[in-house]
Amino acid sequence: MTREIILRIIESFKQQRQSYFRMLDLAGEQLAILEKNRGKVYADEIEVLLARRNKLLEEINQNNQENRNLQQRIVKELGLEGFVLSQLENKLESEQYQALKEQISNLSKLLEMISEKDQRSQELMQQAINSQRKKGPRSSSRQASQAYKQSMEHKIDS
């Protein structure tokens, strides 16, 4: 039973990875728009991107919840305190442990890249807002960034 659950967790992380790649692409598109139009926020273009990102974020959050449920099953089945890589290492087959570790590492790298793009986008939007004395979609981008951080905090305690 443990083997099947671990395989499902690994597969879930792979699905998350695909979603995060799409999110990275959207974050890149957003940043490109902002860099191209320095000092001017084209709210319609950004708003469309943020709507796409929010929809993708809903998908990511659903996948994260399913993954957490699987993790809780493994924790209970193996009698662990939490889903922590160091605690799993001695409880799993080497192959499974390495695959799990690799997926978590990949997700962490992707989240870091998304966060960097979002941070730069926020800076550019703030510059545009300051220069135009208008409020823009900055808070939505900040909310998306916060959601990524929260999803990773709940996902991994390694």
Side-chain angles (χ1 to χ4, degrees):
M1 182 69 138
T2 300
R3 180 175 174 74
E4 291 89 29
I5 296 171
I6 290 294
L7 291 174
R8 287 175 57 196
I9 290 171
I10 291 168
E11 187 57 36
S12 176
F13 280 140
K14 287 179 182 178
Q15 290 172 358
Q16 287 179 20
R17 185 172 178 233
Q18 293 305 317
S19 295
Y20 285 130
F21 269 124
R22 293 194 321 255
M23 188 63 77
L24 181 61
D25 288 343
L26 292 174
E29 285 180 46
Q30 179 179 331
L31 182 56
I33 289 169
L34 292 167
E35 287 177 337
K36 176 182 164 193
N37 302 304
R38 276 193 177 253
K40 299 176 187 171
V41 174
Y42 288 91
D44 292 340
E45 290 177 80
I46 299 298
E47 193 172 311
V48 168
L49 275 172
L50 289 176
R52 290 172 57 197
R53 290 182 73 177
N54 282 332
K55 185 176 180 179
L56 184 55
L57 191 57
E58 288 174 16
E59 176 185 317
I60 288 168
N61 286 335
Q62 181 179 354
N63 190 299
N64 285 344
Q65 183 58 49
E66 292 169 10
N67 193 296
R68 278 192 297 273
N69 291 341
L70 291 170
Q71 290 175 20
Q72 288 173 354
R73 286 178 60 188
I74 283 294
V75 165
K76 185 177 180 181
E77 192 170 306
L78 296 177
L80 302 173
E81 291 180 31
F83 193 83
V84 179
L85 280 176
S86 60
Q87 291 180 16
L88 289 166
E89 186 171 14
N90 296 328
K91 304 278 186 178
L92 302 177
E93 297 172 14
S94 178
E95 243 178 61
Q96 285 184 321
Y97 174 77
Q98 289 304 321
L100 187 60
K101 185 176 174 181
E102 180 181 333
Q103 290 305 315
I104 291 171
S105 175
N106 289 338
L107 287 176
S108 295
K109 289 174 189 172
L110 276 172
L111 287 168
E112 187 176 315
M113 291 188 302
I114 292 167
S115 181
E116 288 170 5
K117 288 186 184 296
D118 281 346
Q119 182 177 352
R120 182 66 185 133
S121 288
Q122 287 177 13
E123 291 168 2
L124 291 172
M125 285 188 281
Q126 187 61 49
Q127 288 172 7
I129 289 167
N130 289 341
S131 69
Q132 297 176 1
R133 301 275 188 225
K134 291 183 181 177
K135 292 217 181 253
R138 182 176 151 262
S139 63
S140 296
S141 183
R142 180 173 286 148
Q143 289 169 348
S145 180
Q146 283 289 54
Y148 299 134
K149 290 176 186 173
Q150 287 176 352
S151 75
M152 282 310 290
E153 287 171 4
H154 292 295
K155 187 185 308 171
I156 307 167
D157 291 319
S158 55

